[in-house]
Amino acid sequence: FLPPDAAFKLELKAIDSNHLQAQFIVAPGHYLYRERIKFETALPAKLETTTLPAGEMKDDPTFGKQEVYHHDTAATIKLTDIENNLVSINATYQGCSEKGLCYAPIKKTFALNMADTSSASTS
């Protein structure tokens, strides 16, 4: 089994001064649960909306019928009330291996400068 960070990679980058793109890279033989993808911001920034594409329906042995992503996918996050172009995003997501191992929820914190549309850092 792959370590969680190899099975499910997450990269965040600013698209413009109010939007982020969250790119999930899903390793072959793994899948992410759509409803277990969550983003939160630290104050004063507010998360207005998170847009995810439709997933595939799966009869999951652990959680029953679930919408999942078997391939790389991206979310668009709209933010408001950003001060000094700086924002901190807490991401939580969970997935499984098709071989039967379900990973514990993964939690990451990203510090981003919304004026820099090239990269993001995690902690």
Side-chain angles (χ1 to χ4, degrees):
F1 293 107
L2 293 174
D5 286 338
F8 312 104
K9 294 179 186 172
L10 175 58
E11 299 171 354
L12 260 64
K13 72 175 188 173
I15 300 170
D16 59 36
S17 62
N18 289 91
H19 294 86
L20 296 172
Q21 181 180 55
Q23 179 71 40
F24 288 96
I25 300 157
V26 180
H30 294 75
Y31 56 93
L32 273 175
Y33 295 107
R34 185 179 194 271
E35 74 173 37
R36 298 188 191 282
I37 296 172
K38 305 263 187 268
F39 297 98
E40 297 175 330
T41 61
L43 295 175
K46 292 182 184 146
L47 193 147
E48 191 168 300
T49 58
T50 300
T51 306
L52 285 160
E56 305 166 58
M57 291 307 294
K58 178 177 180 62
D59 193 3
D60 184 77
T62 305
F63 298 111
K65 290 202 180 292
Q66 296 286 315
E67 197 169 353
V68 301
Y69 301 109
H70 286 99
H71 306 286
D72 298 355
T73 194
T76 302
I77 302 165
K78 182 176 181 184
L79 304 170
T80 59
D81 298 336
I82 299 165
E83 289 186 6
N84 300 320
N85 287 324
L86 301 176
V87 66
S88 178
I89 302 286
N90 296 318
T92 305
Y93 49 100
Q94 184 177 16
C96 295
S97 165
E98 291 287 0
K99 295 178 183 172
L101 171 71
C102 279
Y103 294 84
I106 299 166
K107 296 180 184 218
K108 300 259 182 205
T109 299
F110 294 82
L112 295 109
N113 182 334
M114 297 301 289
D116 180 3
T117 56
S118 64
S119 63
S121 60
T122 60
S123 58

mmCIF file of all heavy atoms in Angstrom, residues 12-52:
data_model
loop_
_atom_site.group_PDB
_atom_site.id
_atom_site.type_symbol
_atom_site.label_atom_id
_atom_site.label_comp_id
_atom_site.label_asym_id
_atom_site.label_seq_id
_atom_site.Cartn_x
_atom_site.Cartn_y
_atom_site.Cartn_z
ATOM 1 N N LEU A 12 -2.397 23.362 -4.144
ATOM 2 C CA LEU A 12 -3.257 24.549 -4.214
ATOM 3 C C LEU A 12 -2.498 25.678 -4.867
ATOM 4 O O LEU A 12 -1.310 25.854 -4.614
ATOM 5 C CB LEU A 12 -3.682 24.999 -2.814
ATOM 6 C CG LEU A 12 -5.077 24.578 -2.356
ATOM 7 C CD1 LEU A 12 -5.181 23.092 -2.235
ATOM 8 C CD2 LEU A 12 -5.440 25.263 -1.073
ATOM 9 N N LYS A 13 -3.204 26.441 -5.715
ATOM 10 C CA LYS A 13 -2.600 27.641 -6.288
ATOM 11 C C LYS A 13 -3.673 28.681 -6.533
ATOM 12 O O LYS A 13 -4.845 28.349 -6.753
ATOM 13 C CB LYS A 13 -1.818 27.330 -7.560
ATOM 14 C CG LYS A 13 -2.651 26.990 -8.758
ATOM 15 C CD LYS A 13 -1.753 26.833 -9.970
ATOM 16 C CE LYS A 13 -2.586 26.686 -11.223
ATOM 17 N NZ LYS A 13 -1.795 26.686 -12.415
ATOM 18 N N ALA A 14 -3.254 29.935 -6.467
ATOM 19 C CA ALA A 14 -4.163 31.044 -6.730
ATOM 20 C C ALA A 14 -4.410 31.145 -8.226
ATOM 21 O O ALA A 14 -3.481 31.045 -9.025
ATOM 22 C CB ALA A 14 -3.576 32.342 -6.196
ATOM 23 N N ILE A 15 -5.672 31.310 -8.607
ATOM 24 C CA ILE A 15 -6.041 31.557 -10.005
ATOM 25 C C ILE A 15 -6.077 33.056 -10.236
ATOM 26 O O ILE A 15 -5.608 33.564 -11.244
ATOM 27 C CB ILE A 15 -7.412 30.932 -10.335
ATOM 28 C CG1 ILE A 15 -7.391 29.427 -10.116
ATOM 29 C CG2 ILE A 15 -7.827 31.275 -11.758
ATOM 30 C CD1 ILE A 15 -8.759 28.777 -10.197
ATOM 31 N N ASP A 16 -6.668 33.772 -9.274
ATOM 32 C CA ASP A 16 -6.702 35.240 -9.284
ATOM 33 C C ASP A 16 -6.825 35.688 -7.827
ATOM 34 O O ASP A 16 -6.638 34.877 -6.920
ATOM 35 C CB ASP A 16 -7.828 35.769 -10.189
ATOM 36 C CG ASP A 16 -9.207 35.294 -9.769
ATOM 37 O OD1 ASP A 16 -9.466 35.159 -8.543
ATOM 38 O OD2 ASP A 16 -10.049 35.059 -10.646
ATOM 39 N N SER A 17 -7.155 36.938 -7.594
ATOM 40 C CA SER A 17 -7.144 37.472 -6.230
ATOM 41 C C SER A 17 -8.242 36.912 -5.321
ATOM 42 O O SER A 17 -8.187 37.111 -4.111
ATOM 43 C CB SER A 17 -7.230 38.996 -6.260
ATOM 44 O OG SER A 17 -8.444 39.396 -6.864
ATOM 45 N N ASN A 18 -9.238 36.201 -5.878
ATOM 46 C CA ASN A 18 -10.322 35.639 -5.059
ATOM 47 C C ASN A 18 -10.592 34.158 -5.295
ATOM 48 O O ASN A 18 -11.521 33.613 -4.693
ATOM 49 C CB ASN A 18 -11.628 36.413 -5.301
ATOM 50 C CG ASN A 18 -11.582 37.778 -4.705
ATOM 51 O OD1 ASN A 18 -11.178 38.730 -5.373
ATOM 52 N ND2 ASN A 18 -11.952 37.898 -3.445
ATOM 53 N N HIS A 19 -9.817 33.506 -6.165
ATOM 54 C CA HIS A 19 -10.084 32.102 -6.487
ATOM 55 C C HIS A 19 -8.825 31.248 -6.380
ATOM 56 O O HIS A 19 -7.745 31.672 -6.807
ATOM 57 C CB HIS A 19 -10.636 31.962 -7.912
ATOM 58 C CG HIS A 19 -11.976 32.589 -8.077
ATOM 59 N ND1 HIS A 19 -12.144 33.920 -8.377
ATOM 60 C CD2 HIS A 19 -13.228 32.059 -7.973
ATOM 61 C CE1 HIS A 19 -13.440 34.187 -8.455
ATOM 62 N NE2 HIS A 19 -14.118 33.079 -8.213
ATOM 63 N N LEU A 20 -9.004 30.045 -5.834
ATOM 64 C CA LEU A 20 -7.939 29.051 -5.758
ATOM 65 C C LEU A 20 -8.334 27.835 -6.564
ATOM 66 O O LEU A 20 -9.527 27.533 -6.712
ATOM 67 C CB LEU A 20 -7.731 28.584 -4.315
ATOM 68 C CG LEU A 20 -7.270 29.588 -3.287
ATOM 69 C CD1 LEU A 20 -7.320 28.960 -1.904
ATOM 70 C CD2 LEU A 20 -5.866 30.051 -3.610
ATOM 71 N N GLN A 21 -7.324 27.111 -7.046
ATOM 72 C CA GLN A 21 -7.575 25.796 -7.632
ATOM 73 C C GLN A 21 -6.891 24.768 -6.736
ATOM 74 O O GLN A 21 -5.724 24.924 -6.384
ATOM 75 C CB GLN A 21 -7.032 25.673 -9.044
ATOM 76 C CG GLN A 21 -7.343 24.287 -9.627
ATOM 77 C CD GLN A 21 -6.820 24.124 -11.032
ATOM 78 O OE1 GLN A 21 -5.649 24.311 -11.286
ATOM 79 N NE2 GLN A 21 -7.710 23.782 -11.937
ATOM 80 N N ALA A 22 -7.647 23.753 -6.341
ATOM 81 C CA ALA A 22 -7.123 22.636 -5.563
ATOM 82 C C ALA A 22 -7.054 21.435 -6.498
ATOM 83 O O ALA A 22 -8.087 20.944 -6.953
ATOM 84 C CB ALA A 22 -8.037 22.339 -4.381
ATOM 85 N N GLN A 23 -5.844 21.000 -6.806
ATOM 86 C CA GLN A 23 -5.633 19.886 -7.737
ATOM 87 C C GLN A 23 -5.308 18.619 -6.942
ATOM 88 O O GLN A 23 -4.290 18.569 -6.257
ATOM 89 C CB GLN A 23 -4.484 20.220 -8.701
ATOM 90 C CG GLN A 23 -4.174 19.116 -9.685
ATOM 91 C CD GLN A 23 -5.252 18.958 -10.745
ATOM 92 O OE1 GLN A 23 -5.798 19.929 -11.239
ATOM 93 N NE2 GLN A 23 -5.539 17.725 -11.108
ATOM 94 N N PHE A 24 -6.190 17.623 -7.031
ATOM 95 C CA PHE A 24 -5.955 16.324 -6.398
ATOM 96 C C PHE A 24 -5.347 15.391 -7.432
ATOM 97 O O PHE A 24 -5.877 15.233 -8.530
ATOM 98 C CB PHE A 24 -7.273 15.711 -5.902
ATOM 99 C CG PHE A 24 -7.836 16.406 -4.703
ATOM 100 C CD1 PHE A 24 -8.798 17.388 -4.839
ATOM 101 C CD2 PHE A 24 -7.407 16.072 -3.429
ATOM 102 C CE1 PHE A 24 -9.329 18.035 -3.735
ATOM 103 C CE2 PHE A 24 -7.926 16.711 -2.305
ATOM 104 C CZ PHE A 24 -8.893 17.694 -2.464
ATOM 105 N N ILE A 25 -4.243 14.754 -7.069
ATOM 106 C CA ILE A 25 -3.590 13.767 -7.936
ATOM 107 C C ILE A 25 -3.793 12.410 -7.264
ATOM 108 O O ILE A 25 -3.266 12.156 -6.176
ATOM 109 C CB ILE A 25 -2.107 14.103 -8.131
ATOM 110 C CG1 ILE A 25 -2.005 15.498 -8.768
ATOM 111 C CG2 ILE A 25 -1.417 13.041 -8.982
ATOM 112 C CD1 ILE A 25 -0.707 16.191 -8.527
ATOM 113 N N VAL A 26 -4.607 11.564 -7.898
ATOM 114 C CA VAL A 26 -5.007 10.283 -7.331
ATOM 115 C C VAL A 26 -4.188 9.177 -8.000
ATOM 116 O O VAL A 26 -4.214 9.030 -9.220
ATOM 117 C CB VAL A 26 -6.517 10.035 -7.545
ATOM 118 C CG1 VAL A 26 -6.942 8.707 -6.955
ATOM 119 C CG2 VAL A 26 -7.330 11.190 -6.950
ATOM 120 N N ALA A 27 -3.465 8.415 -7.191
ATOM 121 C CA ALA A 27 -2.638 7.328 -7.720
ATOM 122 C C ALA A 27 -3.525 6.240 -8.325
ATOM 123 O O ALA A 27 -4.646 6.001 -7.855
ATOM 124 C CB ALA A 27 -1.768 6.738 -6.618
ATOM 125 N N PRO A 28 -3.048 5.551 -9.367
ATOM 126 C CA PRO A 28 -3.818 4.443 -9.949
ATOM 127 C C PRO A 28 -4.172 3.406 -8.873
ATOM 128 O O PRO A 28 -3.372 3.130 -7.983
ATOM 129 C CB PRO A 28 -2.867 3.851 -10.987
ATOM 130 C CG PRO A 28 -1.944 4.982 -11.347
ATOM 131 C CD PRO A 28 -1.778 5.775 -10.071
ATOM 132 N N GLY A 29 -5.401 2.891 -8.962
ATOM 133 C CA GLY A 29 -5.855 1.893 -7.992
ATOM 134 C C GLY A 29 -6.381 2.491 -6.696
ATOM 135 O O GLY A 29 -6.605 1.778 -5.726
ATOM 136 N N HIS A 30 -6.578 3.802 -6.666
ATOM 137 C CA HIS A 30 -7.081 4.502 -5.489
ATOM 138 C C HIS A 30 -8.258 5.391 -5.882
ATOM 139 O O HIS A 30 -8.456 5.672 -7.052
ATOM 140 C CB HIS A 30 -5.973 5.364 -4.868
ATOM 141 C CG HIS A 30 -4.856 4.552 -4.310
ATOM 142 N ND1 HIS A 30 -3.915 3.945 -5.101
ATOM 143 C CD2 HIS A 30 -4.546 4.235 -3.034
ATOM 144 C CE1 HIS A 30 -3.064 3.287 -4.338
ATOM 145 N NE2 HIS A 30 -3.426 3.447 -3.085
ATOM 146 N N TYR A 31 -9.021 5.835 -4.885
ATOM 147 C CA TYR A 31 -10.121 6.761 -5.154
ATOM 148 C C TYR A 31 -10.355 7.653 -3.948
ATOM 149 O O TYR A 31 -10.075 7.283 -2.812
ATOM 150 C CB TYR A 31 -11.407 6.031 -5.551
ATOM 151 C CG TYR A 31 -11.894 5.002 -4.554
ATOM 152 C CD1 TYR A 31 -12.812 5.345 -3.564
ATOM 153 C CD2 TYR A 31 -11.458 3.681 -4.613
ATOM 154 C CE1 TYR A 31 -13.271 4.400 -2.657
ATOM 155 C CE2 TYR A 31 -11.914 2.728 -3.719
ATOM 156 C CZ TYR A 31 -12.815 3.093 -2.738
ATOM 157 O OH TYR A 31 -13.260 2.167 -1.840
ATOM 158 N N LEU A 32 -10.840 8.854 -4.226
ATOM 159 C CA LEU A 32 -11.187 9.845 -3.202
ATOM 160 C C LEU A 32 -12.699 9.925 -3.068
ATOM 161 O O LEU A 32 -13.418 9.854 -4.057
ATOM 162 C CB LEU A 32 -10.699 11.232 -3.624
ATOM 163 C CG LEU A 32 -9.290 11.653 -3.295
ATOM 164 C CD1 LEU A 32 -9.009 13.011 -3.925
ATOM 165 C CD2 LEU A 32 -9.052 11.703 -1.811
ATOM 166 N N TYR A 33 -13.164 10.114 -1.839
ATOM 167 C CA TYR A 33 -14.588 10.344 -1.599
ATOM 168 C C TYR A 33 -14.905 11.814 -1.833
ATOM 169 O O TYR A 33 -14.297 12.689 -1.213
ATOM 170 C CB TYR A 33 -14.965 10.001 -0.158
ATOM 171 C CG TYR A 33 -14.816 8.552 0.184
ATOM 172 C CD1 TYR A 33 -13.779 8.118 0.992
ATOM 173 C CD2 TYR A 33 -15.724 7.621 -0.300
ATOM 174 C CE1 TYR A 33 -13.644 6.781 1.320
ATOM 175 C CE2 TYR A 33 -15.595 6.278 0.023
ATOM 176 C CZ TYR A 33 -14.551 5.858 0.833
ATOM 177 O OH TYR A 33 -14.424 4.545 1.145
ATOM 178 N N ARG A 34 -15.857 12.099 -2.704
ATOM 179 C CA ARG A 34 -16.229 13.490 -3.000
ATOM 180 C C ARG A 34 -16.738 14.203 -1.754
ATOM 181 O O ARG A 34 -16.345 15.329 -1.465
ATOM 182 C CB ARG A 34 -17.294 13.521 -4.108
ATOM 183 C CG ARG A 34 -17.654 14.930 -4.557
ATOM 184 C CD ARG A 34 -18.704 14.890 -5.677
ATOM 185 N NE ARG A 34 -18.837 16.160 -6.347
ATOM 186 C CZ ARG A 34 -19.679 17.107 -5.955
ATOM 187 N NH1 ARG A 34 -20.466 16.915 -4.914
ATOM 188 N NH2 ARG A 34 -19.741 18.244 -6.628
ATOM 189 N N GLU A 35 -17.618 13.553 -0.983
ATOM 190 C CA GLU A 35 -18.237 14.229 0.158
ATOM 191 C C GLU A 35 -17.275 14.400 1.333
ATOM 192 O O GLU A 35 -17.580 15.113 2.283
ATOM 193 C CB GLU A 35 -19.503 13.513 0.614
ATOM 194 C CG GLU A 35 -19.264 12.223 1.360
ATOM 195 C CD GLU A 35 -20.545 11.639 1.932
ATOM 196 O OE1 GLU A 35 -21.589 11.742 1.269
ATOM 197 O OE2 GLU A 35 -20.490 11.076 3.028
ATOM 198 N N ARG A 36 -16.111 13.801 1.272
ATOM 199 C CA ARG A 36 -15.136 13.939 2.363
ATOM 200 C C ARG A 36 -14.047 14.974 2.042
ATOM 201 O O ARG A 36 -13.093 15.115 2.791
ATOM 202 C CB ARG A 36 -14.524 12.590 2.701
ATOM 203 C CG ARG A 36 -15.580 11.614 3.192
ATOM 204 C CD ARG A 36 -14.998 10.338 3.720
ATOM 205 N NE ARG A 36 -16.020 9.343 3.947
ATOM 206 C CZ ARG A 36 -16.838 9.308 4.990
ATOM 207 N NH1 ARG A 36 -16.757 10.236 5.908
ATOM 208 N NH2 ARG A 36 -17.729 8.361 5.116
ATOM 209 N N ILE A 37 -14.215 15.692 0.932
ATOM 210 C CA ILE A 37 -13.303 16.782 0.581
ATOM 211 C C ILE A 37 -13.872 18.063 1.188
ATOM 212 O O ILE A 37 -14.982 18.463 0.874
ATOM 213 C CB ILE A 37 -13.156 16.919 -0.946
ATOM 214 C CG1 ILE A 37 -12.501 15.665 -1.529
ATOM 215 C CG2 ILE A 37 -12.360 18.169 -1.289
ATOM 216 C CD1 ILE A 37 -12.488 15.625 -3.050
ATOM 217 N N LYS A 38 -13.097 18.672 2.089
ATOM 218 C CA LYS A 38 -13.549 19.878 2.774
ATOM 219 C C LYS A 38 -12.408 20.892 2.815
ATOM 220 O O LYS A 38 -11.252 20.531 2.984
ATOM 221 C CB LYS A 38 -13.958 19.562 4.215
ATOM 222 C CG LYS A 38 -15.003 18.483 4.348
ATOM 223 C CD LYS A 38 -16.373 19.058 4.501
ATOM 224 C CE LYS A 38 -17.397 18.001 4.799
ATOM 225 N NZ LYS A 38 -18.064 17.424 3.702
ATOM 226 N N PHE A 39 -12.767 22.163 2.688
ATOM 227 C CA PHE A 39 -11.809 23.260 2.802
ATOM 228 C C PHE A 39 -12.360 24.272 3.789
ATOM 229 O O PHE A 39 -13.563 24.539 3.820
ATOM 230 C CB PHE A 39 -11.587 23.938 1.444
ATOM 231 C CG PHE A 39 -10.994 23.032 0.414
ATOM 232 C CD1 PHE A 39 -11.793 22.400 -0.522
ATOM 233 C CD2 PHE A 39 -9.626 22.794 0.394
ATOM 234 C CE1 PHE A 39 -11.253 21.555 -1.473
ATOM 235 C CE2 PHE A 39 -9.072 21.946 -0.555
ATOM 236 C CZ PHE A 39 -9.885 21.330 -1.487
ATOM 237 N N GLU A 40 -11.466 24.842 4.614
ATOM 238 C CA GLU A 40 -11.821 25.900 5.555
ATOM 239 C C GLU A 40 -10.736 26.957 5.495
ATOM 240 O O GLU A 40 -9.578 26.652 5.191
ATOM 241 C CB GLU A 40 -11.915 25.358 6.982
ATOM 242 C CG GLU A 40 -13.000 24.329 7.184
ATOM 243 C CD GLU A 40 -12.983 23.742 8.587
ATOM 244 O OE1 GLU A 40 -11.889 23.666 9.191
ATOM 245 O OE2 GLU A 40 -14.055 23.379 9.070
ATOM 246 N N THR A 41 -11.096 28.189 5.831
ATOM 247 C CA THR A 41 -10.121 29.279 5.864
ATOM 248 C C THR A 41 -9.953 29.766 7.286
ATOM 249 O O THR A 41 -10.828 29.592 8.131
ATOM 250 C CB THR A 41 -10.577 30.469 4.998
ATOM 251 O OG1 THR A 41 -11.810 30.954 5.516
ATOM 252 C CG2 THR A 41 -10.713 30.094 3.548
ATOM 253 N N ALA A 42 -8.803 30.391 7.520
ATOM 254 C CA ALA A 42 -8.591 31.085 8.784
ATOM 255 C C ALA A 42 -9.132 32.513 8.618
ATOM 256 O O ALA A 42 -9.100 33.054 7.515
ATOM 257 C CB ALA A 42 -7.106 31.107 9.121
ATOM 258 N N LEU A 43 -9.619 33.082 9.684
ATOM 259 C CA LEU A 43 -10.144 34.450 9.620
ATOM 260 C C LEU A 43 -9.008 35.411 9.313
ATOM 261 O O LEU A 43 -7.881 35.151 9.688
ATOM 262 C CB LEU A 43 -10.819 34.801 10.942
ATOM 263 C CG LEU A 43 -12.068 33.960 11.259
ATOM 264 C CD1 LEU A 43 -12.579 34.300 12.640
ATOM 265 C CD2 LEU A 43 -13.148 34.186 10.215
ATOM 266 N N PRO A 44 -9.252 36.518 8.655
ATOM 267 C CA PRO A 44 -10.545 37.079 8.291
ATOM 268 C C PRO A 44 -11.086 36.559 6.963
ATOM 269 O O PRO A 44 -12.227 36.831 6.629
ATOM 270 C CB PRO A 44 -10.262 38.571 8.205
ATOM 271 C CG PRO A 44 -8.862 38.638 7.715
ATOM 272 C CD PRO A 44 -8.172 37.462 8.353
ATOM 273 N N ALA A 45 -10.270 35.857 6.181
ATOM 274 C CA ALA A 45 -10.756 35.369 4.883
ATOM 275 C C ALA A 45 -11.929 34.425 5.083
ATOM 276 O O ALA A 45 -11.983 33.676 6.061
ATOM 277 C CB ALA A 45 -9.634 34.671 4.125
ATOM 278 N N LYS A 46 -12.872 34.486 4.135
ATOM 279 C CA LYS A 46 -14.045 33.610 4.192
ATOM 280 C C LYS A 46 -14.101 32.766 2.933
ATOM 281 O O LYS A 46 -13.847 33.252 1.836
ATOM 282 C CB LYS A 46 -15.324 34.440 4.311
ATOM 283 C CG LYS A 46 -15.444 35.156 5.621
ATOM 284 C CD LYS A 46 -16.750 35.922 5.683
ATOM 285 C CE LYS A 46 -16.801 36.715 6.972
ATOM 286 N NZ LYS A 46 -17.479 37.973 6.838
ATOM 287 N N LEU A 47 -14.455 31.527 3.102
ATOM 288 C CA LEU A 47 -14.666 30.633 1.969
ATOM 289 C C LEU A 47 -16.111 30.800 1.532
ATOM 290 O O LEU A 47 -17.022 30.517 2.305
ATOM 291 C CB LEU A 47 -14.375 29.192 2.377
ATOM 292 C CG LEU A 47 -14.261 28.213 1.219
ATOM 293 C CD1 LEU A 47 -13.255 27.137 1.541
ATOM 294 C CD2 LEU A 47 -15.594 27.623 0.887
ATOM 295 N N GLU A 48 -16.299 31.290 0.321
ATOM 296 C CA GLU A 48 -17.659 31.527 -0.172
ATOM 297 C C GLU A 48 -18.237 30.265 -0.801
ATOM 298 O O GLU A 48 -19.345 29.856 -0.480
ATOM 299 C CB GLU A 48 -17.657 32.685 -1.168
ATOM 300 C CG GLU A 48 -19.039 33.153 -1.509
ATOM 301 C CD GLU A 48 -19.014 34.470 -2.257
ATOM 302 O OE1 GLU A 48 -18.512 35.459 -1.712
ATOM 303 O OE2 GLU A 48 -19.514 34.475 -3.395
ATOM 304 N N THR A 49 -17.498 29.655 -1.743
ATOM 305 C CA THR A 49 -17.982 28.426 -2.400
ATOM 306 C C THR A 49 -16.814 27.511 -2.736
ATOM 307 O O THR A 49 -15.687 27.961 -2.935
ATOM 308 C CB THR A 49 -18.723 28.731 -3.722
ATOM 309 O OG1 THR A 49 -17.846 29.428 -4.597
ATOM 310 C CG2 THR A 49 -19.987 29.521 -3.497
ATOM 311 N N THR A 50 -17.121 26.227 -2.797
ATOM 312 C CA THR A 50 -16.191 25.220 -3.310
ATOM 313 C C THR A 50 -16.935 24.461 -4.391
ATOM 314 O O THR A 50 -18.030 23.942 -4.153
ATOM 315 C CB THR A 50 -15.749 24.231 -2.214
ATOM 316 O OG1 THR A 50 -15.101 24.963 -1.175
ATOM 317 C CG2 THR A 50 -14.795 23.188 -2.772
ATOM 318 N N THR A 51 -16.360 24.414 -5.591
ATOM 319 C CA THR A 51 -16.995 23.733 -6.715
ATOM 320 C C THR A 51 -16.162 22.511 -7.090
ATOM 321 O O THR A 51 -14.975 22.633 -7.397
ATOM 322 C CB THR A 51 -17.109 24.685 -7.921
ATOM 323 O OG1 THR A 51 -17.780 25.871 -7.499
ATOM 324 C CG2 THR A 51 -17.873 24.036 -9.054
ATOM 325 N N LEU A 52 -16.804 21.351 -7.042
ATOM 326 C CA LEU A 52 -16.169 20.084 -7.420
ATOM 327 C C LEU A 52 -16.926 19.480 -8.596
ATOM 328 O O LEU A 52 -18.155 19.596 -8.662
ATOM 329 C CB LEU A 52 -16.229 19.088 -6.256
ATOM 330 C CG LEU A 52 -15.270 19.323 -5.099
ATOM 331 C CD1 LEU A 52 -15.762 18.612 -3.851
ATOM 332 C CD2 LEU A 52 -13.892 18.840 -5.467
#
